[in-house]
Amino acid sequence: MSFNNLGLSAALLKSIHEKGYSKPSEIQEQAIPEILKGNDILAGAQTGTGKTAAFALPLLNRLQNAESKRRRVRVLVLVPTRELASQVGESFRDYGSNLRFKTSTLYGGVSINTQIDKLKKGVDIVVATPGRLLDHLNQKTLNLSELETFVLDEADRMLDMGFYDDIMLIAKQLPKNRQNLLFSATMPPKIGKLANTLLKDPKSIS
Ligand code: AMP
């Protein structure tokens, strides 16, 4: 299998080539076509499997296919830690380097005002930890009313860290009609419960 057969745009194939990836990983081969179709996904994937590109590449492709002049948050990725937020944000910037989208990374422990200034200028993709995201929603400095895709990355870790209620509070504020992607290294029953609540007819990938 080659990246050329997955349905990704020329601009994204160029970024993949620049990264030096020769072929898609297993999770990428399975997830990319389903995400491009707009399906919900429940994916079992550990770190190191190429899971970030498995969602970032097709989501950038979808943004590009329905590109518009007006910036608004169209993709939200929730992650458990600030380290992961930085990494995932960097991946979106890297893979999207030949596209015009802006990614904002929101996590606690740093000034909220710098984040607010960036959000005011307009962003397409937000990668965030739950607590700081809720701060922005409560302060109305972030508008998710036009969100298209909601991603939960390392969902098992988020639940272990006690973020279940925060995830639910956030999900309540998103448009009902949206794509949902859930990635988790392990699949304990509580992930099944979360998936049942959030996902619509998900394709299972492992
Ligand atoms: P992740 O599982 O998303 O944390 O990715 C692990 C590492 O694999 C990252 O350093 C990526 O840059 C790299 N990577 C992702 N996809 C590929 C691929 N198709 N070929 C080679 N390396 C990749």
Side-chain angles (χ1 to χ4, degrees):
M1 173 66 90
S2 141
F3 273 112
N4 294 326
N5 306 329
L6 290 177
L8 295 168
S9 71
L12 289 167
L13 292 175
K14 186 164 178 257
S15 315
I16 291 165
H17 183 73
E18 285 161 1
K19 292 291 284 181
Y21 301 168
S22 53
K23 62 181 179 56
S25 68
E26 236 173 279
I27 177 98
Q28 291 164 2
E29 218 177 286
Q30 292 184 58
I32 291 172
E34 295 296 341
I35 297 173
L36 284 175
K37 279 191 244 167
N39 287 327
D40 280 15
I41 293 270
L42 174 59
Q46 316 244 340
T47 302
T49 53
K51 69 176 167 66
T52 314
F55 60 83
L57 290 167
L59 291 180
L60 285 162
N61 205 113
R62 280 172 67 78
L63 291 181
Q64 193 189 2
N65 281 346
E67 194 163 348
S68 77
K69 289 242 152 54
R70 194 172 50 87
R71 268 191 216 288
R72 67 230 184 245
V73 180
R74 296 170 64 191
V75 172
L76 168 64
V77 186
L78 268 192
V79 298
T81 63
R82 65 171 92 178
E83 291 76 19
L84 189 61
S86 296
Q87 279 173 34
V88 171
E90 220 29 65
S91 295
F92 270 98
R93 288 186 199 102
D94 249 10
Y95 300 133
S97 59
N98 299 305
L99 302 170
R100 53 169 287 283
F101 302 113
K102 289 217 184 312
T103 301
S104 194
T105 313
L106 309 176
Y107 49 76
V110 297
S111 155
I112 197 166
N113 292 322
T114 315
Q115 295 173 352
I116 292 171
D117 288 344
K118 280 193 192 145
L119 290 173
K120 272 189 192 151
K121 289 183 189 137
V123 302
D124 308 277
I125 300 152
V126 165
V127 183
T129 52
R132 182 54 65 94
L133 188 86
L134 281 170
D135 291 343
H136 281 283
L137 289 173
N138 292 338
Q139 293 190 33
K140 308 225 178 307
T141 48
L142 177 66
N143 178 0
L144 297 175
S145 66
E146 293 182 74
L147 192 85
E148 294 167 20
T149 303
F150 180 39
V151 185
L152 288 157
D153 191 17
E154 302 202 359
D156 50 353
R157 237 171 116 198
M158 275 198 274
L159 296 188
D160 288 345
M161 289 169 75
F163 285 134
Y164 183 86
D165 291 344
D166 284 356
I167 294 171
M168 287 303 147
L169 274 176
I170 293 162
K172 256 196 221 155
Q173 303 192 45
L174 306 179
K176 285 219 162 54
N177 189 11
R178 57 171 199 262
Q179 182 182 32
N180 301 286
L181 314 177
L182 191 160
F183 288 79
S184 188
T186 59
M187 289 288 168
K190 57 189 178 178
I191 289 291
K193 185 179 158 213
L194 186 68
N196 282 338
T197 315
L198 293 176
L199 310 183
K200 265 181 261 153
D201 300 325
K203 305 279 172 200
S204 284
I205 287 175
S206 57

